[in-house]
Amino acid sequence: MTAGLSELKAEDVGVLICGHGSRNRQAVEEFASLADGLRPRMGGLPVEHGYLEFAKPILRDSLDRLRAQGVKRVLAVPAMLFAAGHAKNDIPSVLNTYSAETGLTIDYGRELGVDRLMIAAAGARIQEALAQSPSDVSLEETLLVVVGRGSSDPDANSNVTKITRMLVEGLGFGWGETVYSGVTFPLVEPGLRHVVRLGFKRIVVFPYFLFSGVLVSRIRQHTALVAADHPDVDFVSAGYLGDHALVLDTFVERVQEVLGGETAMNCSLCKYRAQVLGFEAEVGLAQESHHHHVEGLTDGCELCEHECTGACQPDGIPIPLGGGHQHSHDHAHEHGHGHHPYPHADHPLGPETLRKVSAKGEPFDTET
């Protein structure tokens, strides 16, 4: 698979894996580990990884490192599950600016997307969780809930739903539902409180995430809240994708696509290019990054020893870090960040309304 890549070593080609960045140390370590796992799969090509914000190296520094190794052409791939604002706007803006300033050729690949390998990796994580569960409930009596990141881009949100359906049919679950960790609706806790009414004996909650972080922690916490109210239902928490071998294989395929000129993003349902229902005002918005004000900021959260517990957001609102800066990797897309306002922020099962307190006195998540 890497034969074509190895032939490019003499042509001064390098690879850049582009991430968002996080204050969570475990998430940053996992991303770096993924990059390390990709290096032996790239046929000896120089491989660097970089972030938009909240971690180092930032993308510009990683591009500098590639140039220092003699690289004249960069194959850049976004480490994003779906193409929303970060993959469509923020990362391309940084890369285009750098290319214009330095003359470095940068070819940009597509997101991981709805892909057979990614679905297989997700299926493997779910099967691992089922294998560890003592319950003997059949798959036909089990409901699968897939939790997506959540975005203000309906195209990205709809892709999570497709992943859910592929997993439900592929594995034979009795039913499937999709909820989200932030920005859109339904969010995790209210979503689970709805699906538990369907009467299934077992519910598997699978976070369709690449890495750890506050959102994964909150998914587990909100699952536990609902599970405590329904002791007759067996709740099973599956692990996130991480650096599963099939995820790494998908990255290799994305790099191969760049080489073959096969990079094709879905523009028919992209809110920036087409009149998507409810998002018509966003057609033609300028391509720009909203991360310059925090690029390279590395004030990490030290409230947790390693894996994020959500302690930085005890009431769903982030504790300021780094001199009171309110922005965080896992949220705040609509708070002074330059994004177009999400049209359903007042939906009763999501976004802004989740600042309200639930009937049990527990705060809902406010990841927006």
Side-chain angles (χ1 to χ4, degrees), residues 86-106:
H86 295 317
K88 291 179 179 180
N89 290 329
D90 298 318
I91 293 174
S93 177
V94 173
L95 299 181
N96 289 340
T97 299
Y98 188 94
S99 180
E101 292 175 354
T102 65
L104 180 67
T105 299
I106 304 176

Side-chain angles (χ1 to χ4, degrees), residues 340-364:
H340 201 274
Y342 182 59
H344 305 296
D346 58 351
H347 192 283
L349 299 182
E352 296 296 332
T353 57
L354 294 190
R355 283 204 174 93
K356 298 178 180 179
V357 177
S358 70
K360 288 176 62 66
E362 296 287 349
F364 282 134

